[in-house]
């Protein structure tokens, strides 16, 4: 599988998804993922100025159930990415990435959507969830 966009590959988005290739995606999902990559991911990555790593991208309905994802998860529709900054210390910068994505959605540089901050019990970053639901939604989760 080749590149999905300038800084994102299909293998990153489909890793752990329950789907082996683009050919295994349900109808319409490929287009949703392509839009998410170009309109949300690339814009955020360019503003961040360094690499971003996909923790979770597309998930098949079965995979979503197995990982305990939300019943109506936008990952299943190809409209969500869980991200951390690339590099050994990426998780230390999850909150800064979340803050940047929040500013970019609020000022219209990326489309409005959901933005979740997932933290460990000690308050350190796990990942930032970014989705294209079409309206602003915010939450924080500690585990």
């Amino acid at each position: 599988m080749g590149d999905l966009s300038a800084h994102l590959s299909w293998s990153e988005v489909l890793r752990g998804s329950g789907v082996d290739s683009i050919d295994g995606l349900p109808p319409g999902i490929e287009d949703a993922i392509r839009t998410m990559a170009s309109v949300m991911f690339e814009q955020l990555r360019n503003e961040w100025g360094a690499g971003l790593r996909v923790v979770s991208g597309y998930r098949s309905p079965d995979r979503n159930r197995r990982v305990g994802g939300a019943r109506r998860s936008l990952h299943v529709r190809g409209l969500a990415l869980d991200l951390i900054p690339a590099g050994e210390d990426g998780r230390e910068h999850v909150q800064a990435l979340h803050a940047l994505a929040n500013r970019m959605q609020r000022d219209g540089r990326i489309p409005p959507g959901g933005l979740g901050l997932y933290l460990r019990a000690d308050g350190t970053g796990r990942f930032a969830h970014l989705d294209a639901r079409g309206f602003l939604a915010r939450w924080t989760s500690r585990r």
Side-chain angles (χ1 to χ4, degrees), residues 7-8 36-37 39-45 52 81 83:
H7 301 100
L8 188 61
M36 184 74 187
V39 175
M40 302 279 277
F41 177 86
E42 286 297 330
Q43 300 303 317
L44 178 61
R45 195 254 183 222
L52 296 176
L81 296 170
L83 304 167

Side-chain angles (χ1 to χ4, degrees), residues 4-81:
L4 173 57
S5 64
H7 301 100
L8 188 61
S9 70
W10 278 106
S11 62
E12 289 175 276
V13 173
L14 297 180
R15 181 180 43 243
S17 69
V19 173
D20 294 328
S21 71
I22 302 167
D23 297 334
L25 292 171
I29 301 296
E30 180 181 345
D31 290 340
I33 293 170
R34 285 185 186 281
T35 299
M36 184 74 187
S38 64
V39 175
M40 302 279 277
F41 177 86
E42 286 297 330
Q43 300 303 317
L44 178 61
R45 195 254 183 222
N46 289 340
E47 188 73 20
W48 182 251
L52 296 176
R53 187 167 71 85
V54 175
V55 175
S56 183
Y58 172 74
R59 294 183 201 143
S60 69
D62 181 56
R63 177 67 179 156
N64 191 61
R65 278 189 297 279
R66 287 194 325 239
V67 300
R71 191 171 54 86
R72 295 173 148 182
S73 173
L74 292 178
H75 286 278
V76 175
R77 294 175 45 202
L79 295 173
L81 296 170

Side-chain angles (χ1 to χ4, degrees), residues 40 44 47-48 52 83 94-116 128-131 136 138:
M40 302 279 277
L44 178 61
E47 188 73 20
W48 182 251
L52 296 176
L83 304 167
V94 167
Q95 291 166 328
L97 177 63
H98 178 270
L100 174 62
N102 185 45
R103 285 192 306 275
M104 291 180 72
Q105 281 187 332
R106 291 187 182 278
D107 69 17
R109 288 181 282 160
I110 59 177
L115 185 59
H129 168 95
L130 178 67
D131 71 48
L136 295 178
R138 301 292 185 264

Side-chain angles (χ1 to χ4, degrees), residues 55 83-84 91 94 118-120 124-128 141 143:
V55 175
L83 304 167
I84 63 170
R91 294 193 191 272
V94 167
Y118 288 78
L119 304 170
R120 292 184 181 91
T124 59
R126 287 179 55 218
F127 59 87
S141 176
R143 288 191 205 182

